[in-house]
Amino acid sequence: MNEEADIIDHQKNIIRKLSNEIMLLRGKLQSLEEHSERQHQEIDQVQLHQYDSQAQRLSAIKIIARMENESIFRDTTHLNSTRDNFLVHIEPNQVLQDRNPVLVTAIDAFSKSQTEKGSGMTGGTENLLARKASLRAAAVESVYAARNLKYVSSFSSSIQAVNYSITRSKLSSNLISHIMPSGNYDTIKSLLSASAMPQPAPNGLLLYAFDNEQRLLRSWLCRNGNKQRLEILTNILLAQIDPSDFSQYDSTLKPSEWRQVENDVTVLYDLTDEMKDIQDNHLMNFLQPLIHDLLNEMKSSESASNQILVENTTRVSNSWVCKKCSTFNPRRRKTCKKCRTKRAPDGLCSSPSLSTLNHFIKPRTTAKGLKFYSYTTAQEHTNTGKRTFMRKRKLSSSSVRETKRLKSANQPTSLFLIDPVFVNPASYEAIQVVFRHIGKHAGIKRYGTGEREWIIIVCDGHPMTLARSVIDSTLDKTGHQEFDWIVLSPGLGHEESNMIKAYTEMTWEVLMKDFAKTQGYVSEKALAFFKSCSDHHISFDNLQKFYIALWYELLYPYIHDSTVQGHSAQGYLEWTLSTMDDKTYQFMVTTVMKYCQSIMLFREGVRENSYAKLTTARRQFAPLWSSRNHTKYDRLVAAAEIEMLRAPDAIKSVLTTHVSFSRFGDPNSHQGIDYVLEEFNREVKRWITRHGDANTWKKVIRNIDRLSSLRSAVEKSLCLNTAKRSPRTRPNSSHDITTFRQHLRSNNYLTPHTRELQSLEGVMLDEDTINIHKLGNQRRIELINGIVQGRLFAHRSRLPPVFITRTERIFYSIEMQAYMDIQADSATKGKKSDIIIYLQQLRETVHDILEDNLHAEFGSDLQ
């Protein structure tokens, strides 16, 4: 027992001794740590005092810069030697990652802020960081350029290229090159002209479209060798419709195999039952909401509304009313002349006296503009749930195909520009050059460049007129037609613009001129601009307002007829039969339903890629081409319908499925491929200066896809709003519509009563005007028969147009007599310029004599 106790005591002594040693070691360790802390504090104090002054910091920076100087120079030399020969955009973050890390770290430290908030920028922190990355990259590139003046940065060059595409200015490009390593004007032009391979023809089903592009190069010094020069070329757009469709390699579908097939062309004389259904549905869907609006208006104080409408016609159209004090102010004033209240943004303030009027005439519009109602297949329309006024048809097989087409054609189309042809497609020889160029590119078997048997080519009116003659008359060495592989299709954009122009010209003296004046087109030049329809977007917008206002006023007498029970769109059409005594009212109903509605339906067909709507509108509008002697589109539309009738089902399927094209896959934003080509033309001209030659045009066209992608990438990396596509906004047009309605109502122009055919100004119209659609359809039938018999250009060359005004008939008679007298004169025979000048002078002279007193002096002699 004693031995065990001794062992335990010994172990306790050892533990006690070790514990004391541990305590001593802990004390020594704590002392060492305190000593080390004091040493670190002393070192920190020394370092802090080392950079207390700016001079000390400058000295340290110079040392670091000298150490990195050669490294930066080697970077610039290496980047210059490895730079791509073409413009390539590099992301700012990639620039920062590839450049000298010491320099990048320094710039990053200098530019870092306390907060990373948007600070008024759209997109918040993400956009702020992206913009900071661009600024840091630009700072790094500037330092590199300062080290090596020959350094050209790919990042800066891409920004310079976008500046060039916007300004096309040599001064601007050279100015930027002095503050960025982007290269000067000549450098950018050489980069833009970098060689690229021509676009080959891809596989599958192809469609080509061509149009001329011209630009006048003005020269301000008149010298023998320094004349004004006109650049003319033909741009060609290629659309790959379906990569998996190889029907163009089928020789049985070649146009020469079926173009002479005889068919029953009587089906082209008038609308088919399916076309009538489409037209009826479109009209009913549009009229029913207008009738609903007019019925709601009638519930208000009708007599007071009508009185206000008539009394304030001129006053409202030329003034605005203050909301605060109800004072009338001239339209040009921005503030009220009485209380100094600012004018409302919509430009028409309402007072208590005008609030009823604004409710009484309230066109069905939205904030984004006018709303048009689309056609829905086999939809029933009822009035008060009791009576169906649209007959319901069973869906035909073509309607089913139309539904499938709408689902399959909403993908973006692959579009490419191919090498241009430097000719103007305004002659037979130039058209032949264009066709051969397209044929060789497409791989037409005849030219030995491929195995294709046929392709589709789209062009506008004048080239197509020449093209049909070229196809029929051009023979190869073996005596066969050289261009028997072409299927022609008219450009829908140009066709629509000419439809608007033709309708405006027909109704100009009737009431379109008065409509233009109510819209602010007052001077002679303004009216000439309106009538010329040179701006298609403005012309279509004006026609929409005209269409809505006119239908409101045409429906107004029907709504206020006390004998009518249960108003409906179908009931209105039946009611119009009771107004046969009023030739003016009947003429306006006919022209709006036959022609103006056709233009709206045509636009819907193009936007929705609907062949059924488009061909319905085209056939309904066709008599106007014939009646008013618009021979170009009269012939090409008739020839296109005959060719479609003769075509095999495989080609019909292609032409009806791919009517219009969407660049971005939006199912409601299709457009004619001729207008798509114009968009490409504008894009190409962004990259060509005033002095572009043929070689420059060709290289830019070959590189246009890369250049467009470059611009989009730069705009995106710099957080520019121009890189975002947003829908086009349209100002509210209710006031413009209201103004014209006031003008029509104040003149009682569309109030049915027994009267002869006259214009809004009271001028009597020609006796044939009321039958313009009937006469035009008769001429169209004769034209169709003539085309079938091979007499496309010999038919109807000297028939006068269907006259609208009696003045027009007199002008035509005098001009034709003068023309025959000049032709009979051997001294001037054959001089076309002399004839044109003489006829223009004669028209101006006759107009001055007859304009004021025509009706009084010749009213009984104009039959």
Side-chain angles (χ1 to χ4, degrees):
M1 293 294 295
N2 291 332
E3 291 180 358
E4 293 179 358
D6 291 339
I7 293 172
I8 293 173
D9 290 339
H10 180 68
Q11 291 176 348
K12 289 182 178 180
N13 290 332
I14 293 174
I15 292 172
R16 193 179 296 109
K17 184 178 179 180
L18 292 174
S19 298
N20 291 334
E21 290 178 358
I22 291 172
M23 293 295 294
L24 290 174
L25 291 173
R26 284 180 177 176
K28 290 180 180 180
L29 180 61
Q30 184 176 1
S31 177
L32 290 172
E33 289 178 350
E34 292 175 354
H35 179 69
S36 177
E37 181 68 25
R38 286 194 298 272
Q39 285 182 339
H40 280 299
Q41 290 178 357
E42 290 174 0
I43 292 173
D44 290 341
Q45 289 296 327
V46 172
Q47 290 178 345
L48 288 174
H49 288 296
Q50 182 180 359
Y51 300 108
D52 273 348
S53 66
Q54 194 175 63
Q56 291 173 325
R57 294 193 291 272
L58 287 173
S59 177
I61 289 175
K62 289 179 181 179
I63 294 172
I64 297 173
R66 281 197 297 269
M67 296 175 66
E68 298 296 332
N69 185 279
E70 288 302 319
S71 175
I72 291 176
F73 182 78
R74 287 194 298 270
D75 279 354
T76 59
T77 305
H78 173 71
L79 291 171
N80 271 343
S81 62
T82 59
R83 189 179 72 249
D84 199 331
N85 290 329
F86 189 77
L87 291 168
V88 178
H89 178 65
I90 302 176
E91 291 296 327
N93 289 324
Q94 186 66 37
V95 173
L96 297 175
Q97 183 178 347
D98 295 342
R99 301 301 182 262
N100 186 282
V102 177
L103 176 60
V104 172
T105 302
I107 291 176
D108 182 69
F110 278 123
S111 61
K112 185 168 290 185
S113 59
Q114 296 296 328
T115 59
E116 297 291 342
K117 295 182 179 180
S119 184
M121 297 177 57
T122 58
T125 304
E126 183 179 353
N127 274 356
L128 178 63
L129 294 176
R131 187 181 180 192
K132 278 199 167 188
S134 299
L135 293 172
R136 288 166 181 162
V140 170
E141 298 291 58
S142 296
V143 174
Y144 270 50
R147 178 62 184 87
N148 185 353
L149 295 178
K150 295 182 180 180
Y151 174 64
V152 177
S153 163
S154 297
F155 172 76
S156 301
S157 295
S158 62
I159 298 175
Q160 174 76 292
V162 174
N163 166 70
Y164 170 84
S165 72
I166 297 173
T167 63
R168 294 193 291 276
S169 168
K170 183 176 182 179
L171 177 61
S172 174
S173 300
N174 289 337
L175 180 63
I176 289 181
S177 69
H178 281 73
I179 58 177
M180 294 177 65
S182 57
N184 58 16
Y185 176 79
D186 294 330
T187 304
I188 294 299
K189 286 195 66 177
S190 64
L191 291 173
L192 289 173
S193 300
S195 61
M197 297 299 294
Q199 175 66 44
N203 294 325
L205 187 65
L206 304 183
L207 180 145
Y208 288 80
F210 70 88
D211 193 11
N212 69 316
E213 180 61 48
Q214 57 188 20
R215 183 172 55 174
L216 179 65
L217 304 184
R218 297 188 179 278
S219 181
W220 306 109
L221 296 176
C222 295
R223 300 291 186 272
N224 186 39
N226 191 29
K227 302 297 183 181
Q228 292 186 356
R229 186 161 56 92
L230 183 66
E231 285 184 352
I232 299 178
L233 71 154
T234 299
N235 268 343
I236 304 172
L237 183 66
L238 164 62
Q240 186 184 22
I241 298 176
D242 187 353
S244 61
D245 187 339
F246 294 93
S247 60
Q248 289 183 338
Y249 295 88
D250 186 354
S251 60
T252 61
L253 299 179
K254 194 174 181 180
S256 59
E257 300 293 329
W258 50 263
R259 189 165 277 156
Q260 302 301 325
V261 175
E262 294 186 3
N263 297 90
D264 182 14
V265 295
T266 58
V267 297
L268 304 178
Y269 291 171
D270 204 352
L271 299 180
T272 64
D273 290 340
E274 186 177 354
M275 290 179 178
K276 291 177 181 178
D277 282 349
I278 293 175
Q279 184 192 33
D280 290 346
N281 276 279
H282 181 269
L283 182 62
M284 300 304 172
N285 286 335
F286 180 76
L287 292 185
Q288 197 60 35
L290 270 62
I291 292 174
H292 178 73
D293 286 347
L294 290 171
L295 289 173
N296 290 336
E297 291 171 0
M298 191 172 63
K299 296 177 182 179
S300 62
S301 178
E302 177 181 342
S303 58
S305 299
N306 196 53
Q307 183 179 0
I308 293 171
L309 177 69
V310 176
E311 291 178 354
N312 293 289
T313 300
T314 305
R315 197 176 188 186
V316 172
S317 61
N318 295 320
S319 61
W320 60 276
V321 185
C322 178
K323 287 183 177 181
K324 186 175 181 181
C325 63
S326 301
T327 302
F328 278 88
N329 296 277
R331 200 170 188 175
R332 64 180 182 274
R333 288 188 64 93
K334 302 298 182 183
T335 59
C336 177
K337 59 186 178 182
K338 182 177 180 180
C339 65
R340 302 299 179 185
T341 301
K342 288 186 178 181
R343 181 179 178 178
D346 61 358
L348 181 62
C349 300
S350 59
S351 66
S353 61
L354 285 178
S355 60
T356 307
L357 175 61
N358 290 335
H359 174 74
F360 180 63
I361 302 179
K362 185 177 65 174
R364 193 175 185 84
T365 58
T366 63
K368 293 184 178 180
L370 308 176
K371 182 175 181 180
F372 288 86
Y373 298 86
S374 302
Y375 156 64
T376 303
T377 306
Q379 180 180 357
E380 271 195 352
H381 303 272
T382 59
N383 181 46
T384 66
K386 296 180 180 180
R387 187 163 75 96
T388 301
F389 61 82
M390 272 300 296
R391 61 184 183 274
K392 183 176 180 181
R393 285 182 178 268
K394 183 179 179 180
L395 280 175
S396 63
S397 58
S398 59
S399 298
V400 175
R401 289 196 302 269
E402 180 80 1
T403 304
K404 292 181 179 179
R405 176 207 51 76
L406 288 172
K407 293 180 180 179
S408 63
N410 292 335
Q411 300 299 321
T413 307
S414 299
L415 302 167
F416 316 94
L417 280 178
I418 69 172
D419 285 356
V421 185
F422 293 93
V423 296
N424 185 17
S427 65
Y428 296 115
E429 294 78 10
I431 293 293
Q432 291 174 354
V433 172
V434 174
F435 281 172
R436 293 188 182 107
H437 180 77
I438 294 176
K440 293 176 182 178
H441 181 273
I444 295 299
K445 192 174 183 179
R446 172 184 294 276
Y447 300 108
T449 56
E451 296 297 326
R452 276 194 175 85
E453 297 287 350
W454 61 275
I455 58 171
I456 304 170
I457 296 181
V458 177
C459 55
D460 59 10
H462 183 59
M464 177 165 283
T465 303
L466 299 176
R468 292 203 176 274
S469 296
V470 168
I471 292 174
D472 294 337
S473 60
T474 305
L475 304 178
D476 60 11
K477 295 180 180 179
T478 62
H480 296 88
Q481 289 184 347
E482 180 181 354
F483 303 113
D484 58 353
W485 45 269
I486 296 176
V487 177
L488 285 177
S489 180
L492 302 182
H494 289 84
E495 184 177 353
E496 181 185 294
S497 63
N498 279 275
M499 290 169 72
I500 296 175
K501 187 174 182 179
Y503 183 78
T504 301
E505 183 268 339
M506 182 197 71
T507 57
W508 183 251
E509 295 295 340
V510 183
L511 78 168
M512 188 65 78
K513 184 177 181 180
D514 298 88
F515 169 75
K517 290 180 179 179
T518 63
Q519 306 305 303
Y521 297 85
V522 179
S523 66
E524 291 185 5
K525 287 188 176 181
L527 290 172
F529 169 79
F530 187 102
K531 186 179 181 180
S532 66
C533 301
S534 56
D535 190 309
H536 179 58
H537 298 289
I538 294 177
S539 300
F540 186 80
D541 184 61
N542 284 328
L543 188 66
Q544 281 182 319
K545 294 184 291 185
F546 175 84
Y547 183 62
I548 292 176
L550 207 58
W551 266 124
Y552 267 114
E553 292 306 300
L554 287 171
L555 289 168
Y556 179 80
Y558 167 69
I559 297 299
H560 291 263
D561 190 342
S562 58
T563 63
V564 176
Q565 300 294 328
H567 299 84
S568 66
Q570 182 66 30
Y572 168 73
L573 298 181
E574 296 172 357
W575 176 85
T576 55
L577 299 176
S578 64
T579 63
M580 294 298 292
D581 293 338
D582 191 337
K583 293 183 178 180
T584 300
Y585 187 89
Q586 286 295 324
F587 173 72
M588 294 313 305
V589 172
T590 301
T591 55
V592 172
M593 286 178 55
K594 299 292 186 183
Y595 305 131
C596 198
Q597 184 208 354
S598 297
I599 298 174
M600 303 302 163
L601 184 59
F602 190 92
R603 167 62 68 93
E604 277 193 19
V606 173
R607 286 292 187 227
E608 299 173 7
N609 188 32
S610 171
Y611 179 78
K613 290 185 178 182
L614 187 142
T615 191
T616 300
R618 180 181 281 166
R619 191 170 298 179
Q620 181 75 317
F621 191 87
L624 183 59
W625 299 127
S626 301
S627 61
R628 296 292 292 167
N629 277 5
H630 299 285
T631 54
K632 185 190 302 180
Y633 276 92
D634 186 18
R635 290 166 176 164
L636 71 87
V637 168
E641 286 199 316
I642 293 173
E643 191 161 281
M644 176 65 79
L645 183 65
R646 293 172 172 174
D649 292 339
I651 293 183
K652 286 181 181 178
S653 176
V654 173
L655 295 176
T656 57
T657 304
H658 305 282
V659 178
S660 51
F661 299 86
S662 174
R663 294 185 65 185
F664 306 102
D666 187 346
N668 294 316
S669 65
H670 290 71
Q671 55 184 332
I673 197 169
D674 53 335
Y675 272 20
V676 176
L677 176 56
E678 291 196 356
E679 291 183 0
F680 274 90
N681 287 340
R682 288 193 294 270
E683 185 70 23
V684 169
K685 286 195 290 186
R686 284 180 175 180
W687 302 94
I688 297 179
T689 61
R690 188 176 68 90
H691 303 289
D693 54 10
N695 189 47
T696 303
W697 279 92
K698 183 180 293 185
K699 289 184 176 180
V700 171
I701 286 173
R702 290 181 178 182
N703 293 315
I704 189 61
D705 290 336
R706 297 173 66 183
L707 293 172
S708 300
S709 300
L710 171 72
R711 176 166 177 160
S712 300
V714 170
E715 291 175 345
K716 182 179 180 181
S717 66
L718 298 181
C719 305
L720 298 178
N721 292 332
T722 54
K724 300 178 181 179
R725 294 183 70 252
S726 57
R728 181 181 297 159
T729 59
R730 177 181 296 170
N732 194 299
S733 57
S734 59
H735 175 57
D736 297 336
I737 296 172
T738 300
T739 302
F740 186 52
R741 289 187 64 189
Q742 293 165 347
H743 187 64
L744 290 172
R745 188 81 59 82
S746 63
N747 288 276
N748 292 321
Y749 184 64
L750 296 179
T751 302
H753 56 277
T754 303
R755 57 175 167 172
E756 294 298 319
L757 191 60
Q758 62 185 30
S759 70
L760 182 56
E761 295 180 349
V763 178
M764 302 302 294
L765 302 182
D766 192 83
E767 60 179 358
D768 288 342
T769 306
I770 192 67
N771 298 317
I772 185 171
H773 188 76
K774 179 180 178 181
L775 296 173
N777 200 48
Q778 292 174 357
R779 294 185 178 188
R780 180 173 176 273
I781 292 173
E782 295 175 5
L783 174 63
I784 292 174
N785 294 331
I787 294 175
V788 172
Q789 298 169 12
R791 298 182 290 108
L792 176 59
F793 294 100
H795 180 67
R796 273 201 303 107
S797 58
R798 289 298 178 187
L799 281 179
V802 176
F803 301 109
I804 301 298
T805 64
R806 298 181 177 183
T807 309
E808 187 181 17
R809 182 182 289 272
I810 292 179
F811 283 157
Y812 183 83
S813 300
I814 296 176
E815 287 179 354
M816 289 305 298
Q817 184 61 46
Y819 178 81
M820 289 186 290
D821 292 343
I822 295 175
Q823 288 285 59
D825 187 355
S826 58
T828 59
K829 186 175 182 179
K831 295 182 179 180
K832 184 177 179 181
S833 58
D834 294 341
I835 297 175
I836 293 175
I837 295 174
Y838 179 80
L839 292 179
Q840 288 176 345
Q841 295 174 348
L842 181 63
R843 173 176 283 272
E844 293 174 359
T845 303
V846 174
H847 185 275
D848 293 338
I849 297 173
L850 298 181
E851 185 179 33
D852 297 331
N853 302 316
L854 177 66
H855 180 65
E857 296 182 14
F858 299 98
S860 59
D861 300 324
L862 295 177
Q863 303 300 325

